[in-house]
Amino acid sequence: AEMEECDYITVPSEFAADSLVENGVDRKKLILLPFGVDTSRFRPREKQDDTFRAVFIGQVSVRKGILYLLEAWKGLNLPGSELLVVGPHSPDIKELLSKYSDTGNIRFVSYVKDLTKVYQTASVFVFPSIEEGSALVNYEAMASGVPVITTYNSGSLARDGVYGFVIPVRDVAAIRDKLTALYEDPGLRDKMAVSARERIERYTWEAYGDNLVKEYKKIAG
């Protein structure tokens, strides 16, 4: 009823827009406004070790696609690598995680006070979410100069093959392939890292506010 009554709806991603249209909302009502990130807080720093570290940050739940990442990682054998999973575990997943308890290079951490340091230890950020409005963790990873492997459904600003890789949801093989590609090609990792930072510098919270005001003025006419 709210959707029908309102004149305009701001959405943070094409995926969110598509979801509303699929549920009967007129696309003419939608205003696409991607979120922002604090680019002074989240910024690149030279990595301090040689470990190839894939990082996931977020609620460890079925909806976030973590099980597909864990399954992909378990099928890999990458010397000198680690998967770091940061975030609280939802009730729907605790029993399902036991399958991966014997995988030695997977580390679970429920809480980290300063996430900036976690991003700065990452070689790649992996967020294969099944549905989001627009996940802020992808913005933070890109601002930290980390290539991302994510899904269209995460509402990411990443462009496939440029700032990382955009893969289908629930696709274990795709996650495995893209992790392998970045593991084997440090030059590609570095190129994507630089591109990701350059891309996200246009998406500060200040820019978000300015764009929102522009839309209000346009509507007010």
Side-chain angles (χ1 to χ4, degrees):
E2 289 176 346
M3 297 294 182
E4 291 177 3
E5 288 294 325
C6 69
D7 296 307
Y8 297 96
I9 305 165
T10 61
V11 291
S13 68
E14 292 286 357
F15 174 71
D18 291 344
S19 297
L20 290 177
V21 171
E22 288 169 8
N23 285 278
V25 176
D26 187 347
R27 189 174 284 275
K28 293 178 181 178
K29 286 187 175 185
L30 305 182
I31 299 171
L32 180 62
L33 279 177
F35 291 140
V37 63
D38 184 345
T39 54
S40 61
R41 179 187 174 200
F42 296 97
R43 55 188 307 109
R45 181 186 177 213
E46 186 175 350
K47 201 164 173 294
Q48 301 299 301
D49 61 38
D50 296 327
T51 301
F52 176 81
R53 185 172 293 106
V55 172
F56 170 98
I57 296 175
Q59 185 185 53
V60 182
S61 66
V62 172
R63 185 171 69 87
K64 302 292 185 179
I66 185 64
L67 292 176
Y68 305 101
L69 170 56
L70 291 169
E71 190 65 21
W73 189 264
K74 190 169 184 176
L76 291 170
N77 182 21
L78 306 177
S81 69
E82 174 186 59
L83 172 60
L84 175 59
V85 178
V86 179
H89 296 184
S90 67
D92 67 356
I93 205 165
K94 289 183 178 179
E95 289 186 14
L96 298 173
L97 292 179
S98 61
K99 179 180 177 182
Y100 306 98
S101 60
D102 62 345
T103 306
N105 61 349
I106 298 178
R107 185 158 55 101
F108 292 94
V109 179
S110 60
Y111 174 76
V112 172
K113 185 176 182 180
D114 186 1
L115 289 176
T116 59
K117 295 178 181 178
V118 177
Y119 289 113
Q120 290 170 346
T121 69
S123 307
V124 57
F125 183 73
V126 192
F127 194 74
S129 186
I130 296 169
E131 58 174 13
E132 302 283 335
S134 188
L136 291 177
V137 288
N138 279 328
Y139 292 72
E140 293 167 357
M142 291 174 67
S144 302
V146 181
V148 299
I149 297 174
T150 191
T151 60
Y152 175 74
N153 300 36
S154 76
S156 173
L157 292 170
R159 188 181 302 165
D160 185 46
V162 182
Y163 318 118
F165 296 106
V166 179
I167 60 171
V169 293
R170 305 182 181 90
D171 194 331
V172 172
I175 297 172
R176 189 178 294 141
D177 289 347
K178 302 311 181 187
L179 282 168
T180 301
L182 290 173
Y183 176 84
E184 293 178 346
D185 193 342
L188 178 61
R189 289 204 310 268
D190 293 343
K191 183 179 179 180
M192 287 182 165
V194 171
S195 297
R197 173 67 190 191
E198 290 176 350
R199 162 74 161 165
I200 214 68
E201 283 176 349
R202 290 177 282 164
Y203 293 91
T204 63
W205 284 118
E206 290 78 12
Y208 177 84
D210 290 343
N211 290 331
L212 184 60
V213 169
K214 286 178 186 176
E215 293 297 337
Y216 285 154
K217 288 180 177 178
K218 191 187 301 181
I219 292 167

